Amino acid sequence: LDHCYFHYNNTFFQQVEGGPMGSPLTVTLAEIRVTHNEINAINTSPNPPKHYFHFVDDGFGFFQNESHARSFLSHINSLTSDLEYTLELPNQDHSLPYLDVLIHSDKSTSIYRKPTHTNLYTNYNSCSPQAHKDSIIRSLTRRAYTLCSPKHLQPELDFLKHTFLANSYPLSRINLIMDQTRRSISKSSTPSPSKPLSSSLRVVLPYNPHFAKDLKKTLARYDIDSCFRSAPTLKNMLCNTSSRSDPKRIPHCIYKLSCTDCTDFYIGQTYRPICLRIKEHEAFYRLNNIYDSATGNIKSAPAKHARDNDHHVNFNSVEILTT
C-alpha cells in the first residue's frame, strides 16, 4: 500500500491513502479495516446496539431510539479520522433499506430499488444472445423468490412482468422463464446427484442472430460446448478510451536487463514506474554504490555484475516481460 501509483493526463501520481481500485487485495484489506473499526466501536461503546450486521460498507443495527443511534454514530466516528459513518433512519412507514432489501416494520421484506433506478434492461429486440435475455428474467425472478416475504412476493412478480413488457419482452417468454425459475426453486430443496465435470471443449464466439443457434447445434455434435458474447456496439467500434502511455512509465511490472558482453541477464520486479527503477540501477553502477552501507545487501545485481566483470549493461534497452 506504500507503493500505489496511477497515471492520469501524462503524469504519474502516488496514492497516499487507501488502495488501488480493481485490486482483489484492496477489497480484502478494506473489509478487514472496516470490520476491525466496527468491532472496536461495539466493544468500547458504553451503550452498544442490541444487534449489528455488516456487509462491505453497509451496517445495520438495532437501537432503542434515534438518540441512541446518533450517540453510537458519534462514538464510532471518534475512533478514526480516515473513516466517516453516516446514519440512515427508517422512512415514514417505518421501513428501512439494507442493500437491495427493504425491511418493513412487521419484519417482512421486499425488494428495494433506489429512486434513481430506471428499470431499463437489455431490450428484447437488441442483438444479444437469447440466453443473456432469458438470464435477466431468471435472475430477477429468483431474487424475488429469495428476498421477498410471502405477502410481498406476488406484487414484486407483477412489477417484474410490467418491467419486462416495457423492455419489449414477449409475455409468453416472460411467463415461460418465470415458471421455469419457480419450478427450479421448488426442486432445489431436493438434493440431486452431482454431475461429472464435462471434458468437452468450450469456445466463446461473437453472437450473430442469423446462425448462432444452428452453429451451437453443429458444434454440440462434435462435443464442443459453445457460448456467445454480445456483438460490438457502435460505441465500442468508434470510441477508443484506452490510454497509450509510454510502457516504460507503467508501474508494477517484471522486466529483463541483458549484458552486452556475455549471455547473462537479470530479471526483476518493481511496483513503481519501470523508468525510475532503471535509473536507480544505472546510478548504482555509475557511482559504484553497489552495497547498502547499513546492511551490506546488494542494491543492484546488474550493477554488481557490470562492475565485477568489467562488462556493460544497456540500461536503455530494458525488456518488459509482463505487467
Side-chain angles (χ1 to χ4, degrees):
L1 292 179
D2 294 333
H3 299 87
C4 295
Y5 299 86
F6 61 93
H7 179 254
Y8 174 74
N9 198 21
N10 296 324
T11 305
F12 278 93
F13 298 87
Q14 181 181 14
Q15 186 170 349
V16 296
E17 291 186 3
M21 294 182 63
S23 170
L25 182 61
T26 301
V27 178
T28 303
L29 294 177
E31 180 75 12
I32 294 173
R33 175 71 177 87
V34 173
T35 302
H36 176 268
N37 188 67
E38 294 178 357
I39 292 176
N40 185 34
I42 293 173
N43 292 337
T44 59
S45 173
N47 189 15
K50 184 177 180 181
H51 300 288
Y52 188 84
F53 303 94
H54 161 89
F55 184 80
V56 188
D57 59 348
D58 284 322
F60 187 88
F62 289 78
F63 298 93
Q64 299 171 3
N65 47 46
E66 181 178 345
S67 176
H68 183 201
R70 294 194 180 279
S71 174
F72 182 77
L73 177 67
S74 299
H75 172 69
I76 195 172
N77 280 332
S78 67
L79 299 179
T80 178
S81 59
D82 58 342
L83 293 176
E84 182 179 358
Y85 290 79
T86 58
L87 180 65
E88 184 173 1
L89 297 173
N91 302 320
Q92 293 182 352
D93 59 354
H94 304 291
S95 63
L96 185 65
Y98 182 59
L99 305 177
D100 57 349
V101 180
L102 186 63
I103 304 174
H104 300 269
S105 58
D106 58 355
K107 298 182 181 179
S108 63
T109 56
S110 61
I111 301 298
Y112 172 71
R113 295 176 177 85
K114 292 183 178 181
T116 55
H117 185 69
T118 61
N119 292 319
L120 292 178
Y121 299 96
T122 301
N123 193 280
Y124 193 82
N125 296 320
S126 65
C127 185
S128 297
Q130 183 64 47
H132 292 190
K133 302 170 187 175
D134 291 346
S135 67
I136 295 175
I137 303 176
R138 189 175 294 108
S139 61
L140 293 179
T141 303
R142 182 173 292 274
R143 183 178 71 159
Y145 278 99
T146 303
L147 300 182
C148 288
S149 298
K151 62 183 294 186
H152 299 290
L153 177 59
Q154 192 56 49
E156 174 64 19
L157 295 177
D158 293 339
F159 177 83
L160 290 178
K161 283 188 178 183
H162 285 92
T163 300
F164 298 142
L165 289 171
N167 286 271
S168 303
Y169 284 72
L171 181 59
S172 58
R173 193 69 184 177
I174 297 172
N175 291 332
L176 174 64
I177 302 301
M178 294 183 76
D179 187 59
Q180 289 178 349
T181 305
R182 178 188 58 79
R183 286 188 276 111
S184 67
I185 293 174
S186 62
K187 292 180 180 179
S188 61
S189 57
T190 304
S192 57
S194 58
K195 297 181 180 179
L197 294 177
S198 174
S199 59
S200 61
L201 176 67
R202 166 167 289 195
V203 294
V204 180
L205 304 170
Y207 177 73
N208 187 303
H210 300 294
F211 60 78
K213 187 175 181 179
D214 293 335
L215 178 60
K216 187 176 183 68
K217 291 181 179 179
T218 303
L219 292 176
R221 297 196 199 106
Y222 298 94
D223 199 25
I224 299 177
D225 184 18
S226 59
C227 56
F228 299 94
R229 62 174 180 267
S230 298
T233 63
L234 286 176
K235 181 179 180 181
N236 299 141
M237 293 186 288
L238 300 178
C239 300
N240 183 11
T241 58
S242 59
S243 60
R244 299 181 179 179
S245 58
D246 184 359
K248 292 185 179 181
R249 298 190 63 85
I250 297 176
H252 197 172
C253 65
I254 298 176
Y255 60 95
K256 177 181 179 181
L257 286 172
S258 300
C259 179
T260 59
D261 296 317
C262 66
T263 59
D264 288 354
F265 57 87
Y266 170 79
I267 295 179
Q269 181 178 10
T270 180
Y271 293 93
R272 297 178 296 156
I274 181 62
C275 59
L276 299 181
R277 183 54 181 155
I278 297 302
K279 284 183 180 179
E280 289 181 347
H281 285 302
E282 186 179 14
F284 294 147
Y285 168 76
R286 179 166 39 85
L287 301 175
N288 197 15
N289 184 16
I290 308 298
Y291 297 94
D292 190 295
S293 58
T295 63
N297 294 332
I298 299 175
K299 292 183 177 180
S300 171
K304 182 178 184 302
H305 171 82
R307 283 289 178 180
D308 291 349
N309 300 281
D310 195 23
H311 285 184
H312 299 279
V313 176
N314 190 349
F315 295 104
N316 295 323
S317 61
V318 57
E319 179 183 354
I320 299 177
L321 301 180
T322 183
T323 58

